[in-house]
Amino acid sequence: MDWTRLAGTLIKTGAPIIGTALGGPLGGTIGGFAGKLLADALGVDATPEAVETAIKADPAGAMAKLSNADAQWQAMAEIAKAEAADRT
């Protein structure tokens, strides 16, 4: 599944951190995990199409939900960074 194509939409719709991550060099690698987080937040199937449809159907509602998912993503990234720093 190509989650990278949603990067721009996510950046504009409340999930700039996830959108930037998906648009970056690791976008294909993290897409499935990020996509699951987004889909869970929106209450849809974990496919780029379902996420995109949910965003288009209710942009305001999606923005609030995606903003929360973005905060979760950022928290997980901080934990991963701390764990990586502890290993070095």
Side-chain angles (χ1 to χ4, degrees), residues 3-4 6 11 22 37-38 51 53 60 63 67 76 78 80 84 86:
W3 289 96
T4 60
L6 290 180
I11 290 168
L22 288 175
L37 180 66
L38 295 166
V51 169
T53 298
M63 184 173 281
S67 182
M76 288 185 290
E78 293 301 321
D86 286 346

Side-chain angles (χ1 to χ4, degrees), residues 7 10-21 66-67 70:
L10 294 168
I11 290 168
K12 295 177 204 169
T13 317
I17 296 169
I18 297 173
T20 301
L66 292 176
S67 182
D70 209 49

Side-chain angles (χ1 to χ4, degrees), residues 2-80:
D2 183 15
W3 289 96
T4 60
R5 68 183 181 85
L6 290 180
T9 300
L10 294 168
I11 290 168
K12 295 177 204 169
T13 317
I17 296 169
I18 297 173
T20 301
L22 288 175
L26 297 177
T29 304
I30 62 169
F33 183 73
K36 173 95 170 90
L37 180 66
L38 295 166
D40 286 351
L42 295 170
V44 298
D45 291 334
T47 67
E49 297 78 18
V51 169
E52 185 174 36
T53 298
I55 292 169
K56 288 180 179 177
D58 182 13
M63 184 173 281
K65 293 172 185 174
L66 292 176
S67 182
N68 185 38
D70 209 49
Q72 289 177 353
W73 181 267
Q74 185 173 9
M76 288 185 290
E78 293 301 321
I79 291 168

